[in-house]
Amino acid sequence: MNILVTGGAGYIGSHTVLSLLNNDFDVIVFDNLSNSSIESIRRVEKLTDKKVTFVKGDIQDKAALAELFCAHNIDAVIHFAALKAVGESSTMPLAYYQNNVNGSLCLLEVMATFKVKHFIFSSSATVYGGDNNVPYIETMPLGEASSPYGASKVMVERMLNDVAKADSDFRAISLRYFNPIGAHESGQIGEAPQGVPNNLLPYIAQVAVGKRKSLQVFGDDYQTLDGTCERDYLHVMDLAEGHVAALKWLNKQRGFTGVEAFNLGTGKALSVLSIIRAFEQVSQQNIRYEIGARRSGDLAAFWANADKANRLLGWQATRSLEQMIEDTWRWQVNNPEGYL
Ligand code: NAD
Ligand code: UDP
């Protein structure tokens, strides 16, 4: 089967491409490399001893997409390509709606033209918003997103539902990721943020390796055990395998039409301070940190109820926190400048 992976050179995309190749899918990556490097794909090819077809392009370029669908007989699309910095999305909302919403629209239009009906979407726990109780479960209504980034994910999920209502052959899955961290165990591929990292783990890793002085912990006055925010961290390889499980399920379900959402998380929440301590233990480095102000839009604590993915996809996150941190650390030490 030929799987088109948009954004496949990025952090989660590259790990998923590796899992797809190891499961004998043929992969075509379409990426504009705005937040990634072709080197990730080269390394995936080396690790798997398999070839990836790579096409550089933008999902808003419908002519380029049409050319791609013409040249390859695409069976399904996994759609990662998006801008993903929550804070940045509040300062440049139009860029987020343009890239994430219009980009998805362009992709779905070209898919419709070429009658490609299977779609897996990178959604996020952020679609539950602040008003739902934890743990989040798929039957909850989509919430009021706290950022334009979150709103763009809600909009695409809505778009998928409407496409499915209008076309009974269209079958889609929204995978709602919690907090992916870690790297492939080889230390060859991992998260390579450009500039100052927005996310916790890459920031800690850069402090540990001496690239940054100190971490700002965004608030310690939340209603949690130690006052810092709690999140459901899962290993990026577990997440990658979740995509393979979803794709296999999509291919198998004869009776299923419409859109199905699945939470991908561990079901456990960990605080910022406990992540710092675990990182210190694994890396044997002292992580300097200061308690700073709360970050706007952060919720105190959320984690997944991931029973549905377990029940229907046979998927479960299996890798431990220690493994997540060991793999992050190996990647960071081997590649202090990312893919450069
Ligand atoms: P990433 O930035 O590493 O990967 C995104 C990739 O998409 C990059 O390679 C980038 O170059 C590419 N891209 C962006 N806009 C494009 C466009 N218009 N055309 C073609 N390519 C484009 O991010 P990631 O962490 O791997 O995230 C992948 C997906 O998962 C995103 O949709 C993101 O919103 C979603 N997600 C990520 C997280 C997380 O914590 N990393 C959590 C929930 C959801
Ligand atoms: N965080 C922090 N300092 C940082 C980055 C993140 O204290 O430099 C906290 C943030 O407030 C949140 C958690 O770490 O509680 C995870 O943040 P991240 O941005 O990695 O993921 P999010 O949960 O926002 O998607």
Side-chain angles (χ1 to χ4, degrees):
M1 282 186 76
N2 286 329
I3 313 301
L4 170 62
V5 182
T6 73
Y11 172 46
I12 306 170
S14 55
H15 291 80
T16 303
V17 169
L18 184 142
S19 274
L20 288 167
L21 294 172
N22 283 338
N23 280 272
D24 293 328
F25 290 100
D26 291 316
V27 177
I28 299 128
V29 168
F30 187 77
D31 197 306
N32 64 3
L33 301 180
S34 58
N35 195 38
S36 54
S37 161
I38 182 74
E39 178 63 16
S40 65
I41 298 296
R42 298 292 161 252
R43 293 191 187 181
V44 166
E45 289 184 323
K46 274 201 197 121
L47 286 167
T48 56
D49 202 18
K50 291 188 175 164
K51 281 272 159 223
V52 173
T53 304
F54 177 79
V55 178
K56 186 173 177 195
D58 194 294
I59 47 166
Q60 294 186 72
D61 183 348
K62 285 171 67 179
L65 279 176
E67 205 177 303
L68 182 87
F69 277 82
C70 234
H72 304 276
N73 202 3
I74 309 277
D75 295 292
V77 176
I78 305 183
H79 178 35
F80 292 103
L83 298 176
K84 63 155 183 177
V86 177
E88 181 188 68
S89 77
S90 296
T91 60
M92 37 194 292
L94 296 180
Y96 275 70
Y97 291 121
Q98 179 78 41
N99 200 65
N100 297 4
V101 180
N102 187 51
S104 301
L105 177 62
C106 292
L107 178 61
L108 288 164
E109 281 175 342
V110 178
M111 282 176 63
T113 306
F114 286 86
K115 302 197 169 18
V116 177
K117 308 279 186 177
H118 288 184
F119 191 75
I120 295 181
F121 175 57
S122 290
S123 190
S124 162
T126 188
V127 299
Y128 290 105
D131 293 331
N132 281 306
N133 292 326
V134 284
Y136 293 150
I137 185 160
E138 294 88 345
T139 46
M140 289 173 170
L142 296 182
E144 187 61 44
S146 61
S147 68
Y149 167 76
S152 77
K153 294 291 175 192
V154 170
M155 285 178 192
V156 176
E157 284 214 15
R158 294 226 163 101
M159 194 153 53
L160 293 176
N161 277 309
D162 290 337
V163 173
K165 274 185 206 150
D167 176 357
S168 59
D169 291 333
F170 183 77
R171 292 154 28 136
I173 290 182
S174 286
L175 294 178
R176 296 176 179 161
Y177 314 156
F178 281 66
N179 286 59
I181 61 170
H184 186 253
E185 60 183 11
S186 64
Q188 288 296 303
I189 56 169
E191 187 167 13
Q194 297 178 356
V196 183
N198 292 298
N199 297 106
L200 182 64
L201 263 291
Y203 206 109
I204 293 182
Q206 292 194 6
V207 173
V209 87
K211 217 173 146 186
R212 305 207 177 265
K213 261 216 196 105
S214 159
L215 170 81
Q216 280 271 326
V217 174
F218 296 143
D220 69 347
D221 56 352
Y222 286 95
Q223 295 270 340
T224 57
L225 275 181
D226 65 22
T228 64
C229 292
E230 294 176 350
R231 295 288 180 271
D232 183 338
Y233 297 94
L234 81 158
H235 197 294
V236 68
M237 284 308 300
D238 278 328
L239 182 59
E241 288 160 11
H243 290 75
V244 173
L247 187 60
K248 288 183 175 170
W249 185 80
L250 200 56
N251 292 336
K252 240 181 15 207
Q253 297 308 307
R254 300 256 173 265
F256 160 68
T257 58
V259 188
E260 207 66 61
F262 291 97
N263 288 340
L264 296 182
T266 62
K268 277 179 287 204
L270 294 165
S271 73
V272 176
L273 291 181
S274 65
I275 296 286
I276 295 174
R277 272 184 229 109
F279 208 104
E280 284 182 323
Q281 209 156 39
V282 167
S283 66
Q284 292 295 302
Q285 303 294 313
N286 179 36
I287 311 292
R288 284 190 59 186
Y289 69 88
E290 292 133 32
I291 305 294
R294 288 183 175 196
R295 181 171 67 177
S296 142
D298 269 347
L299 298 173
F302 59 85
W303 61 96
N305 175 322
D307 292 351
K308 184 177 172 188
N310 191 359
R311 209 174 54 247
L312 296 188
L313 307 180
W315 177 88
Q316 199 172 10
T318 58
R319 293 161 176 91
S320 66
L321 176 67
E322 195 181 38
Q323 195 171 351
M324 296 181 216
I325 294 182
E326 274 171 11
D327 292 339
T328 305
W329 183 231
R330 188 179 304 108
W331 156 256
Q332 180 67 51
V333 169
N334 289 351
N335 307 269
E337 301 303 327
Y339 290 109
L340 294 179

